[in-house]
């Protein structure tokens, strides 16, 4: 379903790619507690063949596990600070 928000986000992805020469493609998703609000892709997944990115393209995230782990740990520590969770229970 195309909504003004989806159209705007897709245009933003296209604009970001047009402003850089070192990112061939991007996939983005936005969700809230009720589910997926937006999923889109822009650019190419293979610069040699020109195959387009899509929302099902599998992307290696390299060292992103450090950032994900840090965010998860920070969230747990916030819950401990606000006494929503105990590390010793």
């Amino acid at each position: 379903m195309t909504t003004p928000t989806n159209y705007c986000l897709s245009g933003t992805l296209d604009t970001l790619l047009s402003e850089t020469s070192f990112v061939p493609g991007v996939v983005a998703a936005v969700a809230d507690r009720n589910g997926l609000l937006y999923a889109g892709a822009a650019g190419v997944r293979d610069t040699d063949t020109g195959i387009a990115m899509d929302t099902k393209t599998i992307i290696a995230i390299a060292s992103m596990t450090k950032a994900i782990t840090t965010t998860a740990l920070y969230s747990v520590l916030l819950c401990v600070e606000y006494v929503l969770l105990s590390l010793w229970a």
Side-chain angles (χ1 to χ4, degrees):
M1 181 171 132
T2 302
T3 66
T5 302
N6 287 354
Y7 181 76
C8 179
L9 289 172
S10 293
T12 300
L13 293 179
D14 292 332
T15 301
L16 288 172
L17 285 179
S18 69
E19 293 175 354
T20 182
S21 61
F22 60 88
V23 178
V26 63
V27 175
V30 178
D32 67 6
R33 68 181 72 203
N34 297 317
L36 187 65
L37 299 174
Y38 170 81
V44 296
R45 62 178 164 182
D46 187 332
T47 55
D48 293 333
T49 63
I51 297 172
M53 290 286 263
D54 62 33
T55 57
K56 297 188 186 318
T57 301
I58 298 172
I59 302 169
I61 62 170
S63 326
M64 287 303 298
T65 54
K66 295 177 190 96
I68 294 167
T69 302
T70 301
T71 302
L73 180 58
Y74 179 73
S75 299
V76 168
L77 292 176
L78 276 178
C79 288
V80 170
E81 182 177 344
Y82 287 103
V83 195
L84 301 171
L85 180 69
S86 171
L87 294 178
W88 315 112

